[in-house]
Amino acid sequence: MEIVEVKDKKFSLFLSQDKIKEQVKRMASEISADIAGKHPLFLVILNGSFIFAADLLRELDFPCEVTFTRVASYEGTTSTGKVKELIGLNENIEGRTVVIVEDIIDSGVTMCELLKILAKKNPADIRVASLFVKPDNLKVELDIHYRCFNIANDFIVGYGLDYDQEGRNLPGIYKIVE
Ligand code: IMP
Ligand code: MG
């Protein structure tokens, strides 16, 4: 069992690059079958999705566009608490088919907020493509159209995902060792 250390924690190999690639390919063919003719805009959520997006996009062979954004949270002045804001999205998405490319959906709160912000910009269709979903942690109702893996509630790192900003460059996915 391959063990790596990231900062103060140990992680063991959970998914090899080959296993990830298989599922990314499957997702790409599902996306192609659904929206190949729609000239979709892929909206990649930084930082965690950069490697996943690079691999996913290279499996697609139809005309599409890609852009990058990040979600910032700050304490709002209203009772709703945390407010999320999209940084760096300059494209006009009105009337477009948008595919959100996300690394992992945990509670689902981030994706839910993101969908609300994007819906106000009047896209024709918004689809969610997530590399990982932790179904047992979901706290909101979400349509997740494409996913590579459902996983348990363990913390993972690698292939773009970080532990305290480190470990993103690990080529496979590693799971925390208790
Ligand atoms: P949510 O709003 O709870 O769905 O949070 C999603 C975000 O939490 C992801 O975009 C990640 O940045 C982070 N996250 C959740 N689980 C993990 C994990 O196991 N490893 C690394 N980041 C994670
Ligand atoms: Mg993320």
Side-chain angles (χ1 to χ4, degrees):
M1 187 165 57
E2 193 194 326
I3 301 282
V4 297
E5 282 183 33
V6 181
K7 293 205 158 170
D8 58 333
K9 301 237 183 312
K10 286 192 169 66
F11 295 82
S12 66
L13 185 63
F14 174 48
L15 294 167
S16 66
Q17 288 180 83
D18 284 350
K19 286 238 171 71
I20 301 166
K21 189 171 189 167
E22 232 171 68
Q23 293 305 312
V24 171
K25 276 193 171 187
R26 178 190 47 82
M27 180 190 275
S29 55
E30 288 174 18
I31 293 175
S32 302
D34 287 354
I35 56 168
K38 309 234 164 177
H39 200 282
L41 174 67
F42 287 86
L43 181 60
V44 179
I45 312 302
L46 296 173
N47 293 330
S49 308
F50 77 112
I51 293 176
F52 169 46
D55 284 349
L56 177 68
L57 270 286
R58 284 180 294 175
E59 294 294 336
L60 304 174
D61 59 0
F62 55 83
C64 60
E65 289 175 38
V66 58
T67 191
F68 302 86
T69 185
R70 61 170 69 232
V71 184
S73 326
Y74 56 93
E75 297 295 333
T77 50
T78 65
S79 57
T80 52
K82 285 250 164 68
V83 179
K84 307 258 186 192
E85 189 190 22
L86 269 186
I87 299 185
L89 177 63
N90 303 316
E91 279 76 5
N92 179 8
I93 64 166
E94 193 172 336
R96 298 210 53 187
T97 296
V98 176
V99 183
I100 302 174
V101 180
E102 177 64 300
D103 53 355
I104 184 164
I105 296 175
D106 186 2
S107 69
V109 170
T110 305
M111 185 55 67
C112 197
E113 296 292 317
L114 197 53
L115 288 168
K116 276 188 214 157
I117 294 170
L118 292 173
K120 289 185 193 141
K121 299 176 187 287
N122 300 316
D125 188 14
I126 309 183
R127 281 157 192 264
V128 176
S130 190
L131 177 60
F132 294 103
V133 180
K134 294 181 178 173
D136 298 339
N137 256 10
L138 275 177
K139 297 197 166 45
V140 289
E141 280 224 17
L142 266 186
D143 277 339
I144 303 167
H145 307 83
Y146 311 105
R147 72 182 78 184
C148 289
F149 302 94
N150 280 326
I151 58 166
N153 288 345
D154 310 301
F155 192 81
I156 56 170
V157 73
Y159 196 73
L161 288 90
D162 71 302
Y163 164 54
D164 200 12
Q165 296 308 326
E166 286 188 22
R168 296 191 197 273
N169 54 319
L170 291 164
I173 290 285
Y174 292 75
K175 187 159 84 174
I176 199 156
V177 177
E178 299 307 328

